[in-house]
């Protein structure tokens, strides 16, 4: 739990972008990264010395490497000079004035705009999905779910600027397959349009909290996959 809730949102962000592959590997990598930040990510990001960044050079999680992490640490350090939370990096005043139903889209564009203006390694861009490229942005939508949904046994609800009704369902292969089987999704592409289509369908059942169904869809998908493997 500590991996996600501490660090002004940075710990959760890193955990989310590493959330692909086996669960044990993801947890192990997230724990290792937090350890490299002295289990105090906000303090490390805001107070580290340049020499402290050398410790990340051997870090690897799939295609995410130490150079990518260092780029993001530097980016977040700049942000934390004006705000104590990553919530303000995504949900800016302009984003919150956007029409209902489009605020997450606008938040992702706002983030991409700020990131693009920051000097960084371009190889790191592939870890930061954008709806402009058609991506379903599964990991960032999952991050938003963690940070925004309240009164949930699996989410933390520590951000309050955006409503749960604005959240979009994280779309991975398990959720997509089950959604299609249940008639909740008709497109077979895992892209932004499919993410919107599924979320709009789920809003018909629970307008104030459409992402409520994400965990169930994912769980059913994983359970069925295990049955197939057996």
């Amino acid at each position: 739990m500590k991996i996600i809730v501490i660090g002004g949102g940075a710990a959760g962000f890193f955990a989310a972008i590493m959330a692909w592959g086996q669960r044990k590997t993801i947890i192990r990598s997230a724990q290792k990264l937090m350890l490299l930040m002295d289990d105090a990510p906000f303090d490390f990001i805001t107070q580290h010395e340049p020499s402290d960044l050398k410790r990340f050079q051997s870090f690897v999680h799939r295609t995410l490497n130490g150079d990518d992490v260092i780029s993001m640490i530097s980016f977040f350090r700049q942000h934390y000079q004006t705000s104590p939370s990553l919530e303000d990096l995504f949900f800016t005043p302009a984003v919150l004035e956007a029409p209902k139903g489009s605020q997450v889209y606008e938040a992702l564009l706002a983030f991409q705009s700020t990131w693009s203006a920051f000097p960084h390694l371009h190889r790191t861009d592939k870890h930061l999905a954008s709806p402009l490229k058609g991506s379903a942005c599964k990991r960032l939508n999952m991050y938003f779910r963690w940070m925004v949904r309240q009164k949930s046994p699996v989410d933390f609800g520590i951000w309050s600027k955006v409503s749960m009704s604005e959240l979009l369902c994280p779309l991975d292969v398990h959720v997509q397959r089950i959604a299609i089987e249940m008639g909740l999704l008709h497109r077979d592409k895992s892209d932004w349009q499919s993410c919107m289509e599924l979320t709009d369908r789920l809003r018909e059942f629970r307008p104030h909290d459409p992402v409520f169904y994400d965990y169930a869809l994912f769980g059913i998908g994983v359970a069925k996959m295990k049955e197939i493997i057996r």
Side-chain angles (χ1 to χ4, degrees), residues 77-97:
R77 183 172 191 168
Q78 174 179 278
H79 171 74
Y80 284 142
Q81 291 175 354
T82 58
S83 171
S85 172
L86 295 190
E87 181 177 19
D88 298 320
L89 180 59
F90 290 95
F91 296 100
T92 65
V95 167
L96 296 174
E97 292 176 0

Side-chain angles (χ1 to χ4, degrees), residues 36-144:
L36 290 172
M37 295 185 190
D38 302 322
D39 279 333
F42 180 82
D43 290 341
F44 181 88
I45 290 171
T46 57
Q47 300 174 25
H48 71 269
E49 298 294 334
S51 59
D52 294 326
L53 298 176
K54 294 180 181 178
R55 67 182 72 173
F56 296 96
Q57 291 179 348
S58 62
F59 180 83
V60 176
H61 174 79
R62 298 179 71 94
T63 62
L64 182 78
N65 66 23
D67 289 334
D68 299 318
V69 172
I70 291 171
S71 287
M72 294 178 193
I73 287 175
S74 300
F75 176 62
F76 291 150
R77 183 172 191 168
Q78 174 179 278
H79 171 74
Y80 284 142
Q81 291 175 354
T82 58
S83 171
S85 172
L86 295 190
E87 181 177 19
D88 298 320
L89 180 59
F90 290 95
F91 296 100
T92 65
V95 167
L96 296 174
E97 292 176 0
K100 296 296 182 181
S102 66
Q103 291 181 354
V104 166
Y105 177 82
E106 295 297 334
L108 292 170
L109 296 190
F111 170 77
Q112 286 289 338
S113 177
T114 306
W115 168 254
S116 296
F118 182 79
H120 65 275
L121 295 174
H122 291 298
R123 59 152 282 126
T124 308
D125 292 342
K126 65 184 177 183
H127 297 289
L128 304 172
S130 170
L132 288 179
K133 296 180 180 180
S135 172
C137 300
K138 172 252 180 176
R139 285 172 282 175
L140 288 174
N141 279 322
M142 182 174 65
Y143 175 56
F144 293 157

Side-chain angles (χ1 to χ4, degrees), residues 14-54:
F14 281 114
I17 64 169
M18 289 190 289
W20 55 305
Q22 292 186 340
R23 188 176 304 178
K24 291 182 179 179
T25 303
I26 296 167
I27 293 173
R28 184 166 58 247
S29 292
Q31 290 174 332
K32 179 180 180 180
L33 189 58
M34 291 303 101
L35 184 61
L36 290 172
M37 295 185 190
D38 302 322
D39 279 333
F42 180 82
D43 290 341
F44 181 88
I45 290 171
T46 57
Q47 300 174 25
H48 71 269
E49 298 294 334
S51 59
D52 294 326
L53 298 176
K54 294 180 181 178

Side-chain angles (χ1 to χ4, degrees), residues 13 56 69 119 128-129 159 163 199 209 219:
F13 183 91
F56 296 96
V69 172
L128 304 172
W159 287 1
S163 170
T199 304
D209 185 20

